[in-house]
Amino acid sequence: MTLALIGLIGGLVTGISPCILPVLPVIFFSGGAQSARTESSAPSPARPYLVIAGLVLSFTLVTLFGSLLLSVLGLPQDVLRWAGIVVLALIGIGLIVPRFEHLLEKPFSWLPQRSPDPDRGGFGLGLALGAVYVPCAGPVLAAITVAGATGRVGVDTVVLTVAFALGAATPLLVFALAGRRITERVQAFRKRQRGIRITAGVLMLALSFGLVFNLPQLLQRLVPDYTSGLQAQVNNSEEVRKALNLGGLVNDQNKDLDKCSDGAPVLESCGTAPDITGITQWLNSSGVDLKQQRGKVVLLDFWAYSCINCQRSLPHVTAWDKLYREAGLSVVGVHSPEYAFEKEAGNVAAAAKNFGITYPVALDNSLATWTNYRNRYWPAHYLIDAQGTVRHIKFGEGDYATTEKLIRQLLTDAGPGRALPPATGLVDRTPDVTGITQETYLGSTKRVNFAGTETYTSGEKSFRLPEKQARDSFALDGDWTLASQNITPTGADGRIRLNYRAKEVRIVLSGSGTLTYTRDGQTVTIPVNGTPNSYQLLAAQQVQEGTITATVSSGVQAYSFTFG
């Protein structure tokens, strides 16, 4: 398989995944949004192509040469991204306010023109989108990113990058052409060019706002259900691995990590442990340098405090720390946030205290250490021996007995004759996820399993419970304010109806107020006060199917449902 074909296929798979959702509305309406001077005419046939051409060119240049150029100029690495965000915001304001658009064009009035060109803004919009568009990570994009960051850009890398950009842009072009076609064919749209301009402008401003808070990156870290199988076939195929010579974001420190298989029952040897890097703050410690831990066995635990999978894993990790610390085990938590609120040091500190964590915790807010370990899971455990070599990797929950067995083996190897206490004997309560409802996000950008017919986008919305609701879904009733990561009732109380299949149901809430629901014929009221936390709604002996209708008071923010 040639690099061009690998790039094209990788880009196409990326282009149909949910990571493109933030830019789709902008692309769709950009095909029909015209200059203020020509808004009474039909949309230009060339505009969608100009938008996508600008995106492909900008994405290619920024990905390959942006980092190198900024390093040479001594500028921060996010200058181009912020420039793209500013340009998007300015274009959005210009579409909404024609007078502002004219002011933006004034500095370029000296350019010779035979006639005003209403399309020229399309290419500029594409350039801005390319500078901020961050598609889903995978081996193909990783190869491009590493090559661009290190300056080792050859003809093969350029071919791979252009092919990837074209593949990822193809579905976007389809949406742009669809927007133009609808504007051309539907009379209501032809008569409402002003409304299309305003809608496109609002969407661009919304996208700019979302990019400021890294919402697309949050979407990227979600594994989409409808493309996960296809992505795995492309990204993990042996042919692609050999062609790209990597299995993730690879550097000299982590290149041997793929010598470890996930959850192996015996110790393996996977190279010297990569550095803990890019940490913004430490809890319970002034900092940990792995090189200074030689002679000890180290367990790195990647976690996020609102993750239900991590919460079920932590009792085992804290038990290992308590039981084996004196025997030479050094547990280090690497808190890699999934939500923006998980970046707040105070929130993490409160959660660590509640979970009984006394070992050092690194706040990996930029996911630098997460990336340095080529990690993709919450939780993930990396077991390092006394010589500093990674000997075992376990992604996700479960198989704690194997991990503890290998901890004991490494401790014995590090101190022959050392007497170890009896094993913890904790029961592995990892749920069988087959047949239970998947984690359900409520925020507008991460929403999963919404059963209503209303448009589920950011802002104030009114909802009605549907007459029929599918299982493994939620619906809303009343007036709600939808934010990117949470929802909250607007004014009066609001209701959430959840159809679930699970043994345990929890909800992440914050703010000040109450959540009230009926369980086993009795009304239960949960007081909510403070930063986001996980609250249990149901705990049964076995998986069951049912419905929970909860009333949420004004002042409470709801983030997600999790299931066990």
Side-chain angles (χ1 to χ4, degrees):
M1 188 183 297
T2 66
L3 282 174
L5 185 56
I6 289 174
L8 187 64
I9 294 174
L12 282 170
V13 174
T14 297
I16 61 174
S17 65
C19 70
I20 68 168
L21 292 178
V23 300
L24 276 188
V26 171
I27 293 292
F28 181 83
F29 280 95
S30 70
Q34 298 296 288
S35 167
R37 296 187 297 269
T38 59
E39 63 181 42
S40 60
S41 63
S44 168
R47 184 175 176 84
Y49 297 98
L50 288 170
V51 172
I52 299 305
L55 187 150
V56 170
L57 176 63
S58 180
F59 172 77
T60 301
L61 294 178
V62 168
T63 304
L64 286 180
F65 305 110
S67 180
L68 180 62
L69 176 63
L70 293 173
S71 297
V72 171
L73 296 177
L75 296 174
Q77 289 293 308
D78 59 353
V79 163
L80 293 177
R81 176 178 178 272
W82 281 105
I85 292 173
V86 170
V87 170
L88 276 179
L90 292 176
I91 293 175
I93 296 172
L95 287 171
I96 298 171
V97 184
R99 185 180 295 275
F100 185 76
E101 182 183 45
H102 297 155
L103 290 175
L104 290 177
E105 293 176 350
K106 265 192 174 183
F108 305 98
S109 59
W110 58 273
L111 294 173
Q113 300 181 76
R114 292 184 179 180
S115 60
D117 181 4
D119 286 326
R120 65 184 178 187
F123 190 72
L125 171 60
L127 290 175
L129 285 172
V132 299
Y133 173 49
V134 182
C136 294
V140 178
L141 185 59
I144 297 169
T145 303
V146 171
T150 58
R152 292 178 289 194
V153 178
V155 174
D156 287 348
T157 308
V158 173
V159 169
L160 181 68
T161 307
V162 173
F164 182 90
L166 288 173
T170 298
L172 298 178
L173 177 60
V174 171
F175 272 85
L177 290 173
R180 187 197 70 184
R181 179 65 64 110
I182 290 175
T183 307
E184 287 177 339
R185 297 295 180 88
V186 180
Q187 186 176 9
F189 277 87
R190 292 205 306 268
K191 293 181 177 180
R192 292 176 170 82
Q193 279 295 310
R194 176 63 180 154
I196 293 175
R197 283 172 47 80
I198 292 175
T199 301
V202 170
L203 289 171
M204 288 181 200
L205 289 175
L207 177 59
S208 302
F209 179 82
L211 288 167
V212 170
F213 294 97
N214 295 317
L215 299 183
Q217 283 83 343
L218 291 175
L219 288 175
Q220 249 180 264
R221 293 200 295 272
L222 297 175
V223 180
D225 288 340
Y226 62 83
T227 60
S228 58
L230 185 58
Q231 294 226 29
Q233 289 181 27
V234 174
N235 294 340
N236 298 325
S237 68
E238 191 64 26
E239 192 172 12
V240 170
R241 286 177 180 268
K242 288 181 179 178
L244 300 177
N245 194 29
L246 52 82
L249 293 176
V250 179
N251 58 38
D252 288 339
Q253 289 196 357
N254 63 30
K255 59 184 174 60
D256 293 326
L257 286 180
D258 54 6
K259 293 181 180 179
C260 274
S261 52
D262 176 22
V266 296
L267 291 171
E268 299 173 314
S269 183
C270 318
T272 302
D275 293 336
I276 298 174
T277 185
I279 302 305
T280 57
Q281 186 176 335
W282 284 88
L283 304 178
N284 304 330
S285 171
S286 59
V288 174
D289 183 345
L290 291 181
K291 293 182 178 62
Q292 296 179 357
Q293 297 295 305
R294 299 293 167 81
K296 293 185 177 182
V297 175
V298 178
L299 175 69
L300 288 187
D301 174 32
F302 287 85
W303 68 295
Y305 80 78
S306 74
C307 163
I308 184 62
N309 312 84
C310 300
Q311 292 177 15
R312 286 192 289 257
S313 170
L314 282 172
H316 296 270
V317 179
T318 54
W320 294 335
D321 172 61
K322 182 177 180 180
L323 188 63
Y324 299 117
R325 182 183 293 191
E326 295 298 323
L329 177 66
S330 176
V331 178
V332 180
V334 182
H335 188 272
S336 303
E338 184 180 7
Y339 286 116
F341 63 72
E342 290 174 323
K343 295 182 179 181
E344 293 294 329
N347 294 352
V348 183
K353 182 178 180 181
N354 290 338
F355 293 131
I357 295 174
T358 58
Y359 50 79
V361 175
L363 303 191
D364 186 26
N365 285 352
S366 64
L367 299 181
T369 299
W370 166 286
T371 301
N372 208 29
Y373 275 78
R374 295 162 64 180
N375 186 32
R376 291 293 181 270
Y377 295 90
W378 288 280
H381 298 145
Y382 292 74
L383 190 56
I384 304 166
D385 67 16
Q387 288 73 46
T389 301
V390 177
R391 304 296 303 277
H392 179 70
I393 298 175
K394 177 64 179 76
F395 295 131
E397 295 181 75
D399 209 11
Y400 301 111
T402 297
T403 302
E404 184 170 9
K405 179 194 74 173
L406 298 179
I407 289 174
R408 295 173 66 89
Q409 184 176 335
L410 289 179
L411 288 173
T412 300
D413 292 345
R418 175 183 290 159
L420 296 178
T424 58
L426 289 180
V427 177
D428 186 347
R429 301 188 182 280
T430 304
D432 179 4
V433 297
T434 305
I436 71 172
T437 307
Q438 65 172 307
E439 188 169 6
T440 298
Y441 299 94
L442 302 178
S444 61
T445 57
K446 301 181 67 175
R447 181 263 304 168
V448 176
N449 298 339
F450 178 61
T453 58
E454 298 88 354
T455 301
Y456 205 93
T457 55
S458 296
E460 295 184 3
K461 301 283 191 306
S462 294
F463 296 89
R464 291 288 180 269
L465 294 176
E467 293 184 5
K468 295 182 179 180
Q469 182 175 329
R471 70 179 186 177
D472 303 324
S473 68
F474 77 95
L476 302 178
D477 187 47
D479 296 328
W480 291 81
T481 298
L482 276 56
S484 61
Q485 297 183 18
N486 61 63
I487 62 175
T488 186
T490 305
D493 297 348
R495 291 196 297 163
I496 306 177
R497 187 168 69 194
L498 173 72
N499 287 349
Y500 66 88
R501 288 178 298 158
K503 185 166 63 175
E504 180 184 24
V505 179
R506 304 181 72 92
I507 185 172
V508 177
L509 303 169
S510 69
S512 179
T514 60
L515 180 142
T516 304
Y517 66 105
T518 301
R519 182 176 66 192
D520 299 329
Q522 296 185 344
T523 300
V524 178
T525 298
I526 297 176
V528 180
N529 186 23
T531 57
N533 205 348
S534 179
Y535 298 85
Q536 187 181 74
L537 303 182
L538 171 74
Q541 295 299 313
Q542 58 186 9
V543 174
Q544 64 184 41
E545 185 170 348
T547 299
I548 293 176
T549 302
T551 299
V552 182
S553 69
S554 177
V556 172
Q557 294 85 47
Y559 291 85
S560 63
F561 288 103
T562 55
F563 306 91

